[in-house]
Amino acid sequence: MQTELAKKLGIEFPIFAFTHCRDVVVAVSKAGGFGVLGAVGFTPEQLETELTWIDEHIGDLPYGVDIVIPGKYEGMGEGDAEKLEADLRALIPEQHRQFVQKILADHDVPEVPDEEKMQELLGWTEATAGPQVQVALSHPKVKLLANALGTPPPDVIEEIHAAGRLVAAPCGAPSQAVRHVNAGVDIVIAQGTEGGGHTGDIGSMVLWPEVLDVLGDTPMLAAGGIGSGRQMAAALAMGAQGVWTGSLWLTVEEADVPPAQMQSLLDATARDTVRSRSWTGKPCRMLRNEWTDAWEAEGNPKPLGMPMQFMVTSNAVQRGHKYPEQAKDVNFNPVGQIVGRMNKMRPTRDVIFDMVCECIDATERMTNLMQQSLED
Ligand SMILES: Cc1cc2nc3c(=O)[nH]c(=O)nc-3n(C[C@H](O)[C@H](O)[C@H](O)COP(=O)(O)O)c2cc1C
C-alpha cells in the first residue's frame, strides 16, 4: 500500500493522523502511519518539550508538526507578537467578553486561577507561529510541516525547504490548491466539509477529484470524513496519495481527552456537528451544544474575526479543559461527521490495522467485479 509519497516519507501505510496528543503521534507512526502533532496550543518552549518526548519514544520513525498561520487575519503583517496582542485586545468589544462570562457562569463552570491563565493569542499568527517552525526544524525526525488555514508565507516555505523537509497545506476548494502549488507547497490536503476543525463547505466526494484535476504532479492527501478502510480505498482509487485524518484519533485509548468530553464524542451521531465561527472566528466543525446555539441566537453578539474571537474565548477553552464535567454542554469539541462511527475507545494500532484490512477488502471487491465483468 505504498504510494509514492509514503515511500518518500518512509512509512508503511499512507495514513496521516493529525492530533494534539504526543502519545497518539508516537502510536500512529509506530503502527505504520504518520503522526502529526498540532502545535497551536503550545508555546515554543512547550513544543520543544513535546517534540523531545516524541523523539525519545518514536525510534527512527518520521513524524510531522502542524502550525497555524492563517492566510488572512486581523493585524496581519505585524511582526511583534506582544504588540500585536495588545493592539488586538484593544479592538475587542467588552460585550463579547461579558457574553462569554455569562455563558460559563450560567453553567457553573469555575474560573481558572490567574497564575494558570494562558496567553490569549497563541500560535494563530506568523509572529507567534514563526518560533514554532524553528523549534520543529531543530528536530530531524520532523519530516513534514503542515500549515492550517492558508498558504504558508514564502519565507516560511523557504525555511522549511532549506532544512530539507516537506510543506503541506489544506484546502477546501480547487482555487486554494492552485495557490498552494504556485507558492511551492509540496503536498495539498483536500479537506471536505465533513471534516473536523476548520473546514470549507464542499463535500469530500465532490472536492477530491476537483482538486486532483488542478494539481498536476503535486500529491494530494484526501481529508474530511475518513474513518474506515472503505473510505480510504475510495480516496486512493480517485488518485489521492494517502488520507489525512483528525477526528478518528480523539477516541483512541492513547488520546488525552477527559472522560466527560470523551463520552460526548462516543455518544454523538453524524448529525450532531455544526460549522460554527463561535470559538476561533473561522468556520470550524464541532459538536453542536449550548455554546454554539448561544452564538447563533438572535440578539446575542456575533463572533469576531480570527484571531480576535479566540482571544475572547481562549479562557473558556481553558476552563473547559480544566473542568470538563461542568463544561460538558458548553465545551469546545471540534470533530467531524465521522464522529457517528466513533462509538468505542480503541487502541491506535487496531484502528490502523482495521483500516488497512478494510481498504484491502474494498480493493479486492473492485478487482473481482472487474474480473467477473471480463469473464461474463
Ligand atoms: C480536534 C481537532 C482539532 C483540529 N485542529 C487542527 C489544527 O490545529 N490544525 C490543522 O491543520 N488541522 C486541524 N484539524 C483538522 C485536521 O487536521 C484534519 O484536517 C481533519 O480532522 C480531517 O477530517 P476528519 O476530522 O473527518 O478526519 C483539527 C481536527 C480536529 C478533529
Side-chain angles (χ1 to χ4, degrees):
M1 201 170 290
Q2 273 206 323
T3 58
E4 280 305 312
L5 181 61
K7 272 189 217 148
K8 196 169 183 177
L9 287 167
I11 54 174
E12 215 175 330
F13 309 122
I15 301 174
F16 294 73
F18 173 93
T19 171
H20 291 113
C21 174
R22 63 190 189 182
D23 302 76
V24 179
V25 172
V26 169
V28 168
S29 287
K30 282 194 160 169
F34 189 89
V36 180
L37 185 75
V40 74
F42 300 121
T43 63
E45 296 74 31
Q46 289 166 335
L47 184 61
E48 176 60 36
T49 306
E50 299 299 291
L51 301 189
T52 302
W53 186 92
I54 292 174
D55 286 344
E56 285 165 5
H57 291 81
I58 205 165
D60 291 331
L61 297 164
Y63 65 100
V65 170
D66 179 281
I67 51 162
V68 183
I69 309 178
K72 273 192 215 147
Y73 56 89
E74 300 283 341
M76 195 170 165
E78 291 179 30
D80 182 309
E82 266 175 40
K83 180 175 178 305
L84 177 60
E85 183 162 355
D87 290 351
L88 291 174
R89 195 175 292 132
L91 295 175
I92 295 172
E94 191 48 35
Q95 186 200 19
H96 281 70
R97 294 205 183 271
Q98 282 169 6
F99 184 52
V100 168
Q101 288 301 336
K102 179 172 172 359
I103 299 176
L104 297 189
D106 287 351
H107 288 81
D108 297 322
V109 184
E111 282 282 1
V112 286
D114 274 351
E115 63 278 12
E116 287 181 29
K117 281 190 181 145
M118 64 183 190
Q119 194 190 334
E120 283 186 340
L121 192 52
L122 285 179
W124 291 106
T125 65
E126 188 169 359
T128 48
Q132 294 177 333
V133 174
Q134 271 136 37
V135 170
L137 293 179
S138 70
H139 291 258
K141 293 177 210 173
V142 174
K143 299 294 184 202
L144 175 151
L145 270 95
N147 177 50
L149 298 181
T151 305
D155 53 323
V156 174
I157 296 183
E158 236 169 72
E159 198 181 353
I160 299 170
H161 282 164
R165 325 295 169 87
L166 297 174
V167 183
C171 76
S175 54
Q176 291 167 350
V178 171
R179 275 203 295 279
H180 290 340
V181 174
N182 290 343
V185 165
D186 305 295
I187 302 161
V188 171
I189 303 160
Q191 174 167 325
T193 189
E194 299 92 321
H198 292 109
T199 198
D201 52 9
I202 306 175
S204 290
M205 192 58 94
V206 171
L207 180 71
W208 298 339
E210 281 200 12
V211 171
L212 279 163
D213 286 350
V214 298
L215 275 187
D217 293 335
T218 306
M220 184 194 92
L221 294 176
I226 297 173
S228 74
R230 279 170 289 168
Q231 289 155 327
M232 179 173 167
L236 294 179
M238 281 191 207
Q241 294 243 348
V243 294
W244 177 279
T245 51
S247 297
L248 211 49
W249 313 105
L250 292 169
T251 52
V252 290
E253 284 178 5
E254 293 85 350
D256 57 357
V257 174
Q261 203 168 352
M262 180 65 81
Q263 201 54 50
S264 311
L265 293 167
L266 296 174
D267 291 344
T269 73
R271 300 184 109 169
D272 293 329
T273 72
V274 61
R275 256 171 100 236
S276 167
R277 296 202 301 114
S278 61
W279 286 98
T280 69
K282 284 196 191 270
C284 178
R285 188 172 296 284
M286 59 191 72
L287 286 188
R288 161 165 251 144
N289 61 17
E290 289 174 34
W291 170 284
T292 58
D293 286 348
W295 286 90
E296 276 175 23
E298 219 169 299
N300 285 344
K302 294 290 154 254
L304 303 168
M306 176 176 272
M308 279 148 61
Q309 181 68 12
F310 190 75
M311 292 173 71
V312 173
T313 61
S314 62
N315 174 253
V317 173
Q318 217 191 344
R319 286 163 74 177
H321 274 187
K322 197 167 168 75
Y323 306 105
E325 200 55 60
Q326 293 90 325
K328 71 180 170 11
D329 296 325
V330 287
N331 221 341
F332 183 29
N333 244 331
V335 72
Q337 293 175 342
I338 198 69
V339 70
R341 291 177 70 90
M342 294 157 41
N343 301 322
K344 203 168 124 202
M345 280 176 74
R346 301 167 64 210
T348 295
R349 224 191 145 64
D350 292 4
V351 175
I352 299 246
F353 183 77
D354 286 356
M355 238 172 130
V356 171
C357 290
E358 202 184 286
C359 183
I360 293 169
D361 286 348
T363 315
E364 275 175 5
R365 201 159 43 241
M366 286 301 290
T367 313
N368 291 342
L369 200 65
M370 295 303 153
Q371 240 158 17
Q372 245 168 29
S373 313
L374 286 176
E375 284 162 13
D376 286 347

